[in-house]
Amino acid sequence: QVQLVESGGGLVQAGGSLRLSCAAAGRTVSTYVMGWFRQAPGKEREFVAAVSRSGGYTNYADSVKGRFTISRDNAKNTVYLQMNSLKPEDTAVYHCAALTGSIMATTPDRYNYWGQGTQVTVSS
């Protein structure tokens, strides 16, 4: 098993940036595909980005492509989400998740482990 803890959320003005971190404990994160999802009030959890086990491949939701960057440092057992040009519609609780296997899935039901989430609020 792996435990995931997110950090780095907060309140930022539109156009600003935040960097989220997801620290893993229990098992090395290099054995998992890692993803970021977000959930706004009253909405379903939606895919944001995923990164392959090696970090060589990434996938993004169309809504964040060109603004967000997912990366990982397997030596530090940490995954990151750099968020630039933030918009009010990016406001949500952001969760990182780990998937056993190699498929870079975009649906939450494919992921095995989840963090508690970190709140991101973007003001207009």
Side-chain angles (χ1 to χ4, degrees), residues 19-75:
R19 188 195 197 201
L20 306 184
S21 298
C22 174
R27 285 193 67 179
T28 176
V29 74
S30 62
T31 62
Y32 301 98
V33 167
M34 298 298 295
W36 284 96
F37 290 77
R38 65 188 182 186
Q39 189 165 18
K43 295 187 176 181
E44 293 187 352
R45 192 167 294 189
E46 66 171 357
F47 171 75
V48 175
V51 61
S52 64
R53 291 180 295 185
S54 68
Y57 297 94
T58 57
N59 188 21
Y60 296 93
D62 288 343
S63 58
V64 306
K65 203 170 292 183
R67 300 187 297 122
F68 290 11
T69 303
I70 188 171
S71 62
R72 65 193 300 161
D73 186 338
N74 288 339

